[in-house]
């Protein structure tokens, strides 16, 4: 997928008129340079694949992602050009799905802004600077220090290299106004219905629209249901939320044994947004101490997958970005009768979640925070609330994602405060894991890591030592999820 070829950086995009929304992929071969945070480079000596990491540049840079990196540079700069046909649309949003460490963006010499998150999408309003012929420059910090200690930086005590780069897709999303900012599909398996919630915005002035929702089976394209919402007014002073209830014909549940997917589409005339989803429910039964999938007890079996540790492997190459390799990996998990996994101390590229949806694996999705009892004083819950919100909005339509995991093996108060602030945004109300800190609700989970070479009660004992609270599962108020540890597969 990312075989490097002589750089052809001028992308000409034909938009067509079939759909009001046009998504332009800016993936491919970019130019790259190293330098200071405050100075744009004068030359572009290398090329690099996007998505990918800076250690994939040709020719290679020295000491990428190591402690010696700061002696060579403070930042990497990515550059590419692209051409759009005129007339230009009313709305142009640039989405950088994920980039380490922090992102600053210029389009045609105009600063579009900063996104300090390294593990969540950065959105930028590209329309004011957009032209027919465009130059896009993206700056990322060369190491964790570039972004400051007041935002999550992927701390991991067992890693050596913290690799920077634009490691997920880059897209330009074009439409007329008003437009769909985001959508959330809320499955209701018992009723055989789905709530489709969309947030709308207008680029200027006030506009009226009537959302129409259609649902089809993802693989066959067969019609599965539709409904039209009331006409609504969308102003320029903020987002307008609309909701449409759709009854499904012949509803079919999603599970690891039958990972059946639908596609939901919201059409407001001037824009169309769509997403895949699965009809499933998931919770924990506090009394039984078991997971409940689609109304039945369900035992979770599977590994930890530490993709950011795997990226340290010198023979990793471009495997994490090759769809066929990711599919093979997940199928290998299923072949061992595993039905669940934890994406541990760092998110993989977004395509991995699509593969998990298709393959049938339940994901405990862990935000990359691991500080033990050494939580940095600068990192406050307000910053976590921002990052957690971006995280939820990116993942909440994946049926494979069943547990939001706020952190790993850490005792603090900030993650709990952030959980309480954001969890209501997930209208499916998935359970949360708060590491070695107290669960937010009795129906949440508490992670225990009974390594074979230590006392199986180590996690609970550690909790008691560091918090002064009893280390019994029932007294913690949540379900204990034994885990095999943080070792990558």
């Amino acid at each position: 997928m990312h075989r490097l070829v002589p750089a052809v950086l001028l992308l000409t995009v034909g938009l067509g008129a079939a759909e009001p929304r046009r998504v332009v992929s800016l993936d491919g071969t970019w130019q790259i340079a190293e330098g200071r945070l405050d100075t744009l480079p004068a030359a572009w000596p290398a090329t690099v694949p996007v998505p990918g990491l800076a250690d994939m540049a040709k020719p290679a840079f020295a000491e990428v992602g190591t402690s010696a990196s700061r002696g060579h540079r403070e930042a990497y700069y990515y550059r590419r050009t692209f051409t759009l046909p005129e007339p230009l649309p009313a709305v142009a949003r640039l989405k950088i799905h994920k980039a380490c460490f922090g992102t600053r963006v210029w389009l045609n010499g105009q600063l579009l802004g900063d996104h300090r998150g390294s593990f969540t999408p950065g959105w930028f309003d590209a329309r004011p600077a957009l032209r027919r012929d465009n130059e896009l420059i993206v700056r990322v910090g060369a190491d964790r220090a570039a972004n400051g200690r007041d935002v999550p930086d992927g701390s991991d005590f067992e890693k050596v290299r913290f690799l920077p780069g634009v490691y997920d897709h880059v897209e330009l999303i074009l439409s007329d106004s008003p437009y769909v900012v985001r959508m959330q599909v809320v499955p209701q398996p018992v009723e055989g219905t789905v709530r489709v919630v969309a947030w709308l915005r207008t680029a200027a002035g006030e506009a009226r629209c009537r959302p129409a929702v259609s649902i089809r089976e993802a693989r066959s394209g067969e019609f599965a249901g539709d409904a039209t919402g009331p006409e609504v007014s969308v102003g320029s002073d903020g987002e307008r939320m609309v909701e449409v209830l759709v009854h499904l014909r012949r509803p079919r549940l999603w599970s690891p044994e039958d990972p059946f997917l639908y596609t939901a589409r919201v059409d407001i005339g001037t824009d169309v947004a769509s997403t895949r989803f699965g009809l499933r429910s998931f919770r924990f039964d506090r009394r039984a101490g078991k997971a409940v999938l689609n109304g039945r007890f369900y035992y979770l079996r599977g590994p930890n997958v530490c993709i950011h540790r795997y990226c340290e492997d010198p023979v990793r190459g471009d495997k994490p970005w090759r769809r066929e390799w990711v599919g093979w990996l997940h199928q290998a998990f299923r072949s061992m009768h595993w039905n669940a996994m934890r994406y541990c101390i760092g998110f993989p590229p977004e395509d991995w979640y699509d593969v998990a949806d298709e393959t049938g694996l339940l994901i405990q999705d862990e935000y990359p925070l691991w500080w033990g009892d050494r939580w940095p004083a600068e990192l406050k819950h307000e910053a976590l609330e921002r990052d957690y919100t971006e995280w939820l909005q990116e993942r909440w339509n994946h049926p494979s994602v069943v547990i939001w995991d706020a952190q790993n093996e850490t005792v603090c108060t900030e993650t709990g405060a952030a959980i309480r602030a954001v969890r209501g945004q997930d209208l499916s109300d998935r359970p949360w894991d708060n590491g070695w800190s107290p669960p937010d609700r009795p129906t949440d989970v508490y992670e225990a890591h009974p390594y074979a070479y230590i006392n199986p009660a180590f996690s609970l004992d550690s909790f008691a030592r560091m918090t002064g609270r009893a280390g019994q599962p029932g007294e913690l108020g949540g379900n204990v999820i034994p885990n095999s540890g943080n070792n990558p597969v």
Side-chain angles (χ1 to χ4, degrees), residues 312-452:
E312 294 184 272
D313 192 324
V315 299
R316 171 211 77 221
D318 65 352
K319 292 185 179 68
W321 299 276
R322 284 170 30 203
R323 184 68 176 248
E324 67 275 14
W325 184 86
V326 177
W328 166 84
L329 179 67
H330 288 67
Q331 287 290 352
F333 295 160
R334 294 294 288 129
S335 73
M336 292 184 278
H337 307 289
W338 291 344
N339 57 23
M341 59 183 169
R342 181 174 69 146
Y343 285 155
C344 181
I345 323 180
F347 301 141
E350 209 60 26
D351 286 349
W352 287 52
Y353 296 88
D354 292 335
V355 170
D357 292 342
E358 298 163 2
T359 308
L361 282 159
L362 301 173
I363 298 173
Q364 180 173 338
D365 204 29
E366 183 176 84
Y367 205 88
L369 287 166
W370 185 24
W371 289 103
D373 59 351
R374 291 171 280 178
W375 184 263
E378 304 94 331
L379 184 51
K380 303 298 185 182
H381 66 85
E382 292 86 356
L384 297 179
E385 290 170 22
R386 180 190 63 242
D387 281 22
Y388 285 2
T389 293
E390 294 171 349
W391 168 31
L392 267 59
Q393 291 175 356
E394 186 74 351
R395 301 276 157 71
W396 56 28
N397 292 321
H398 287 285
S400 58
V401 176
V402 292
I403 302 172
W404 305 113
D405 191 339
Q407 47 104 330
N408 178 67
E409 293 183 354
T410 299
V411 175
C412 68
T413 59
E414 302 298 330
T415 55
I419 290 171
R420 288 188 291 276
V422 306
R423 70 180 304 158
Q425 297 180 40
D426 173 24
L427 302 179
S428 293
D429 198 24
R430 294 168 176 86
W432 281 75
D433 181 303
N434 193 22
W436 286 356
S437 296
D440 182 54
R441 290 182 183 170
T443 50
D444 283 343
V445 297
Y446 174 77
E447 68 184 43
H449 294 170
Y451 291 92

Side-chain angles (χ1 to χ4, degrees), residues 49-299:
V50 171
L53 292 167
D55 68 343
M56 300 167 73
K58 301 293 184 182
F61 296 101
E63 303 289 351
V64 179
T66 70
S67 58
S69 174
R70 184 151 283 264
H72 297 278
R73 84 285 293 175
E74 295 177 327
Y76 289 100
Y77 291 83
Y78 286 66
R79 177 186 181 271
R80 78 160 304 151
T81 59
F82 61 94
T83 297
L84 298 174
E86 295 177 324
L88 299 176
V91 177
R93 296 181 295 152
L94 177 69
K95 181 181 182 181
I96 299 177
H97 283 241
K98 289 190 280 292
C100 287
F101 293 94
T103 311
R104 174 168 287 187
V105 178
W106 294 264
L107 181 61
N108 299 320
Q110 182 173 327
L111 178 64
L112 297 190
D114 296 277
H115 179 253
R116 297 187 67 199
S118 294
F119 312 101
T120 54
W123 288 89
F124 304 87
D125 181 8
R127 185 59 186 88
L130 197 66
R131 303 173 187 166
R132 181 181 182 276
D133 299 310
N134 299 276
E135 177 194 50
L136 178 63
I137 295 177
V138 177
R139 187 199 74 187
V140 297
D143 54 44
R144 293 164 56 208
N147 217 11
R149 298 252 296 182
D150 59 333
V151 294
D153 62 2
S155 170
D156 185 338
F157 304 130
E158 297 172 0
K159 280 185 60 170
V160 175
R161 301 172 69 208
F162 292 84
L163 293 164
V166 181
Y167 73 97
D168 214 333
H169 300 297
V170 179
E171 297 174 329
L172 188 65
I173 302 169
L174 310 173
S175 72
D176 292 326
S177 178
Y179 59 97
V180 181
V181 180
R182 73 187 73 87
M183 61 185 292
Q184 182 175 174
V185 178
V186 188
Q188 300 180 142
V190 174
E191 298 86 352
T193 61
V194 292
R195 296 166 56 198
V196 180
V197 184
W199 287 261
L200 313 179
R201 184 181 283 273
T202 183
E206 185 171 335
R208 300 188 68 81
C209 63
R210 184 184 298 274
V213 175
S214 61
I215 295 178
R216 294 185 176 274
E217 297 178 1
R219 183 177 295 275
S220 70
E222 183 178 343
F223 174 81
D226 63 2
T228 301
E231 186 177 68
V232 295
S233 176
V234 185
S236 57
D237 56 345
E239 296 176 358
R240 174 66 186 268
M241 187 180 79
V242 296
E243 180 174 330
V244 179
L245 181 68
V246 182
H247 292 262
L248 296 176
R249 300 195 314 173
R250 300 188 301 275
R252 183 170 167 180
L253 296 176
W254 182 99
S255 70
E257 291 70 34
D258 183 18
F260 188 81
L261 295 170
Y262 293 94
T263 298
R265 169 186 164 104
V266 176
D267 188 341
I268 60 171
T270 52
D271 189 20
V272 170
S274 63
T275 186
R276 294 193 314 183
F277 72 95
L279 188 66
R280 68 105 184 90
S281 63
F282 184 88
R283 62 182 177 86
F284 281 96
D285 184 296
R286 183 187 182 190
R287 183 179 298 274
K290 299 176 184 177
V292 181
L293 176 68
N294 296 328
R296 297 185 175 185
F297 289 138
Y298 196 84
Y299 291 91

